[in-house]
Amino acid sequence: MGSRVNVSGAPSWRASLHGGHSAAYCDHARSPLRDILDAAVERGLCLFGVTEHAPRTEPERLYDEERAMGWTVETLAALFSAYAREVNALKEEYAGRIVILKGFEAEVVPEASWEEMALRWKQNLGFDYIVGSVHYVAGYIIDYKPEYFRLAVEAAGGMEPAAVRYFQAVAEMAERLRPKVVGHFDLIRKQFSSDESLYTPRVSRAALEALEAVRDAGCILDINTGGYRKGLGRPYPAPFLVRAAADMGLRACLGDDSHASDEVAWQFEDAREYLLRCGMRKVTLLWPDKAGLDRRDIPLD
């Protein structure tokens, strides 16, 4: 990853709009939020968007590890409020060293109220922006444990139908919520042996239709380097989708999806080269000004 201290505070391509899951608020994170922000400063990021997971509100969606710790949905709600307060304090503390944005990663559950809940959290807790992501297909989480993914596949009627439903959910999320950023666009790739096994003609069509929905909703596409950490050999999303996004004029940003300090800015130099190879010449930042967040396009080359 390298170490390059940012001293100017000026906008540059070295920024993450999807990162900062931390141990106090996320059961599967490993570092305190302060350590993650210190790493972002050390590695020369000009801006870091902290985007903790929104709390799940249905007891049946608690993770096994959360239940083992005695957490409840009330615990998750309390932690989310505490997270919002801590980021407020850290934004002031780190001013002059790095720009910190206060965000969260929304979800598509519960099915009847997820959109309303996300918008209410944004307003009531004063968040700067939302990262819209999909982790559920047919009501089952797809990236937690293999048995849950198998249930999603069974409910969807097979691997290909599950992938189609995933991208349909991404499109619906973008259309309804219109988040500033759409996270790890093809996360379901984790469950397939290769890009070729995932992207059948039918799935490719669904993915491109979802990409069009992201463009039409005015969202920024997260080029998520968590894909490198998961052994995919590339960020999310796949090269043909990044090329299509470039052709569509869709904006993109970098996101490390960090869950620990050693994951901050993970393989950002490789991701920059990946974007350039796929025809993307710039990234877009959400930069704070008096009116809110201004989109700033930053050249990669």
Side-chain angles (χ1 to χ4, degrees):
M1 287 183 292
S3 177
R4 186 188 311 170
V5 177
N6 175 54
V7 294
S8 69
S12 80
W13 69 267
R14 294 182 61 81
S16 176
L17 287 182
H18 184 184
H21 302 293
S22 53
Y25 310 112
C26 175
D27 76 294
H28 53 281
R30 293 185 284 110
S31 297
L33 182 52
R34 184 180 296 275
D35 289 359
I36 288 173
L37 296 177
D38 286 343
V41 172
E42 177 189 349
R43 289 164 197 160
L45 272 62
C46 67
L47 178 147
F48 193 80
V50 190
T51 55
E52 191 56 81
H53 295 284
R56 282 151 282 123
T57 59
E58 301 165 291
E60 62 269 25
R61 299 200 190 280
L62 290 168
Y63 302 146
D64 296 340
E65 295 80 2
E66 291 170 338
R67 291 191 181 94
M69 293 187 294
W71 287 12
T72 64
V73 293
E74 290 78 17
T75 306
L76 298 182
L79 289 174
F80 194 58
S81 294
Y83 157 70
R85 292 192 298 271
E86 182 178 12
V87 179
N88 286 341
L90 292 174
K91 286 176 75 168
E92 294 188 14
E93 180 180 336
Y94 281 76
R97 287 183 282 169
I98 188 171
V99 174
I100 297 172
L101 297 184
K102 175 184 171 183
F104 70 96
E105 188 174 2
E107 259 304 344
V108 295
V109 291
E111 294 179 3
S113 59
W114 63 266
E115 178 187 8
E116 175 188 349
M117 290 173 58
L119 294 175
R120 186 168 66 244
W121 284 322
K122 182 178 184 295
Q123 179 176 355
N124 292 348
L125 295 176
F127 284 99
D128 295 320
Y129 72 111
I130 298 173
V131 173
S133 298
V134 172
H135 297 88
Y136 290 84
V137 169
Y140 295 100
I141 191 167
I142 63 170
D143 65 332
Y144 172 43
K145 291 184 176 180
E147 54 265 36
Y148 290 94
F149 180 66
R150 286 194 292 268
L151 289 171
V153 170
E154 182 179 343
M159 292 283 281
E160 184 184 58
V164 169
R165 286 186 64 167
Y166 169 83
F167 285 112
Q168 289 172 339
V170 172
E172 181 182 8
M173 179 275 298
E175 291 166 354
R176 290 174 56 182
L177 188 60
R178 295 182 174 267
K180 294 290 189 185
V181 176
V182 169
H184 43 59
F185 181 84
D186 59 352
L187 178 70
I188 199 168
R189 164 66 175 85
K190 287 174 61 176
Q191 304 298 346
F192 287 76
S193 59
S194 65
D195 281 359
E196 292 72 23
S197 64
L198 167 60
Y199 286 112
T200 65
R202 184 182 173 202
V203 174
S204 295
R205 284 194 299 273
L208 288 169
E209 288 170 358
L211 201 63
E212 291 171 352
V214 171
R215 176 202 60 196
D216 294 345
C219 309
I220 301 170
L221 184 68
D222 170 37
I223 307 302
N224 189 300
T225 62
Y228 288 124
R229 295 199 306 273
K230 302 302 181 181
L232 305 186
R234 61 154 175 88
Y236 304 105
F240 86 96
L241 292 170
V242 180
R243 288 192 290 269
D247 291 341
M248 292 179 190
L250 205 157
R251 287 182 161 98
C253 66
L254 290 176
D256 53 40
D257 207 351
S258 50
H259 287 67
S261 58
D262 60 358
E263 296 175 354
V264 172
W266 187 273
Q267 290 187 242
F268 266 21
E269 296 288 347
D270 294 329
R272 173 183 173 276
E273 294 298 323
Y274 177 77
L275 281 169
L276 291 170
R277 288 196 305 272
C278 293
M280 281 279 185
R281 299 298 171 189
K282 62 187 178 183
V283 290
T284 298
L285 306 189
L286 296 172
W287 199 261
D289 62 19
K290 293 180 180 179
L293 292 179
D294 178 39
R295 294 187 181 196
R296 296 198 182 182
D297 294 333
I298 309 297
L300 286 169
D301 52 359

